[in-house]
Amino acid sequence: MELSMAYPLLRAKPFSSFLIVVSLIASFGQLKSWPDALPQELLTLDIAEKIFPDSNATTLASTDFGNLTQARPAAVLYPSSSHDIAALVRFSYSSSRPFPISPRGHGHSIWGQAFAPEGIVVEMAALGHGGAGRINVTPAYVDAGGEQLWIDVLHATLEHGLAPRSWTDYLYLTVGGTLSNAGISGQVFRHGPQIANVYELDVITGKGEAMTCSKNSNSDLFHAVLGGLGQFGIITRARIALQPAPKMARWVRLMYTDVGLFTRDQERVISRDPDKLFALNYLEGSLLVDNSLIGSWRSSSFFSRADIDRISGLAARSGIRALYCLEGAVYYNEATKADMDQGLRLLLEELNFVPGFAFMQDISYLHFLDRVHDGELKLRSAGMWDVPHPWLNIFLPKSRILDFDLGVFKGILKNNKAMGPVLIYPMNKTKWDDEMSAVIPDEEVFYTVGLLRSALEGDLDYLESQNNEILRFCDQEGIVVKQYLPHYTTRGDWMKHFGPKWNKFLKMKMKYDPKALLSPGQKIFTFLEKNRLYG
């Protein structure tokens, strides 16, 4: 789901990435001009040879996964170490002509959140040449560079029989990128988001200070950065909690025609105490409207063609437009398989899915966690990956999920033909740390709804209009939602988003990035406000 944020240039194999960097460095001497937006004094720094204002570099840093907007930076920094990043930020902070700076991970932002118009984008993949050299595994935790992909962290920890506890659905995202948002997936109800599973961070603040922080040391910075949308510092290392890794996963999908039964069963699953009762390790869910998702399942290895035909027939026989799919997984090893079989059987007997519409598959733990990548490869081969992605991700309180279903799923989206999943699943507020910057609804159980749709055949305007209609509906009906991977353009909207956290958020900004240099693409603090903040 995370859907969450940021680097296509160096996403290739480490050696290929290294060659790209070397090629760029070699071309530095051929540059004929220095951008007016940047001070000439930058050329006197030791890092000057790693700053590239040529169009090859800046073009790559001017787009992202969303393909919804563009903004060209003045130059791109390819750092060899975190010291290079600190030197750049210190220079901007002390300069009479400060300029904005934004770290770029995998370029997976939607609305240009990693852009730095007329400033410098830091290509984080250049650290360690984008490989696994900056991943250090211990029995209790893994230290990973902020530029590292979660898939590389997974491979490195599995070599030691260990793995992080909380994930995103898509693993080709950077550690620093997801921790700057929250990092959510089907494990959140048990282990909290990724930001709740971090012990320590190395951060470069908006003053260019390199600081180590944790709950016990520089705790205000630690809590601010986690979920802080890149506003207080650039994450260069994260210490992430580990647990023993299972070998296998039993992947389960259950079909529902009644949203009330669907949501009650989801809430039943996340309420089970795993220390007392058998419980799932992963829970998500999805909406199927007019066979929009069923069609994409036809190329899936999970369902047989006969299964797909039966599911399609279920909707037709029921005379409904919407089906709901509860998706779960249980992790196990050979020694625990018998107990897992029995526990899952008893749990399924408690649930109220349509009889005969439970589908299961046993796959490796690695394959389960990396399941979305298979879909990416198929979309890339069909030329359907690099298209606009007008995604909308929101959190909404449990008390209004049925109202949302009636007005949105059965109303605004009743004729949805767009490609891409619509996710819906609950989380427990107790698994989130309210000291952190991430914002969630004020109810003990809340739902995430992710409309992860792709714009094909000229339907971008329609999908964006539909997203706005959904937000207007929530506002008119008094459904207080919080955007995840938020996109706002005015100070008032950001203040409303953060609510009671806004004053603290502003205070931390003034303390750690008082000139608003970092991550201007979020549009929380307008950079050209005489380079200072206002309340």
Side-chain angles (χ1 to χ4, degrees), residues 1 184-186 266 283-285 423-427 446-448:
M1 185 163 111
I184 62 173
S185 180
Q266 284 192 317
L283 174 79
E284 288 195 5
L423 302 182
I424 170 173
Y425 57 95
M427 304 179 185
F446 63 95
Y447 276 79
T448 181

Side-chain angles (χ1 to χ4, degrees), residues 43-60:
L43 292 169
T44 67
L45 300 182
D46 291 340
I47 61 171
E49 64 178 11
K50 303 173 186 179
I51 300 174
F52 294 87
D54 63 290
S55 60
N56 289 333
T58 57
T59 297
L60 287 167

Side-chain angles (χ1 to χ4, degrees), residues 435-446:
E435 290 296 308
M436 296 176 181
S437 293
V439 180
I440 59 176
D442 191 22
E443 283 194 10
E444 290 307 311
V445 174
F446 63 95

Side-chain angles (χ1 to χ4, degrees), residues 200-230:
E200 186 177 88
L201 296 171
D202 284 344
V203 174
I204 296 169
T205 72
K207 297 179 181 180
E209 301 168 320
M211 300 181 66
T212 298
C213 55
S214 67
K215 287 186 176 182
N216 299 317
S217 176
N218 298 312
S219 60
D220 62 342
L221 179 62
F222 179 77
H223 289 121
V225 167
L226 292 171
L229 306 178

Side-chain angles (χ1 to χ4, degrees), residues 169-190:
D169 285 334
Y170 182 57
L171 302 185
Y172 288 74
L173 304 172
T174 59
V175 168
T178 66
L179 296 183
S180 295
N181 289 277
I184 62 173
S185 180
Q187 299 86 4
V188 174
F189 78 97
R190 286 192 63 164

Side-chain angles (χ1 to χ4, degrees), residues 335-442:
T336 61
K337 184 177 185 299
D339 290 338
M340 182 276 295
D341 287 337
Q342 181 181 9
L344 181 58
R345 177 178 57 80
L346 294 174
L347 174 60
L348 294 183
E349 289 176 358
E350 297 179 24
L351 304 182
N352 298 287
F353 56 92
V354 179
F357 283 85
F359 305 90
M360 303 183 197
Q361 183 180 97
D362 288 85
I363 60 175
S364 72
Y365 177 66
L366 172 60
H367 187 190
F368 175 74
L369 291 181
D370 196 28
R371 63 198 178 280
V372 176
H373 187 51
D374 291 339
E376 175 192 354
L377 296 177
K378 291 175 182 177
L379 290 172
R380 285 188 181 278
S381 66
M384 299 170 63
W385 182 258
D386 297 319
V387 299
H389 298 96
W391 287 4
L392 177 65
N393 295 276
I394 57 176
F395 297 147
L396 66 149
K398 165 191 167 182
S399 62
R400 303 303 302 274
I401 188 62
L402 297 184
D403 297 326
F404 187 90
D405 173 80
L406 183 62
V408 177
F409 294 156
K410 294 185 175 70
I412 297 172
L413 297 181
K414 64 182 179 181
N415 295 315
N416 176 51
K417 299 290 186 181
M419 176 183 167
V422 177
L423 302 182
I424 170 173
Y425 57 95
M427 304 179 185
N428 294 312
K429 183 180 181 182
T430 55
K431 299 297 182 179
W432 294 66
D433 186 342
D434 194 50
E435 290 296 308
M436 296 176 181
S437 293
V439 180
I440 59 176
D442 191 22

Side-chain angles (χ1 to χ4, degrees), residues 1-7 64-66 105-111 113-114 150 167-185 194-195 227 229-230 391 393 395 425 452 484-486 522:
M1 185 163 111
E2 234 129 286
L3 324 108
S4 189
M5 330 249 333
Y7 58 73
D64 59 16
F65 175 74
H106 196 178
H108 211 79
S109 54
I110 306 302
W111 282 100
Q113 286 93 336
W150 283 101
W167 296 97
T168 52
D169 285 334
Y170 182 57
L171 302 185
Y172 288 74
L173 304 172
T174 59
V175 168
T178 66
L179 296 183
S180 295
N181 289 277
I184 62 173
S185 180
Q194 289 180 320
I195 57 174
L229 306 178
W391 287 4
N393 295 276
F395 297 147
Y425 57 95
L452 310 184
Y484 179 64
L485 314 180
Q522 296 283 2

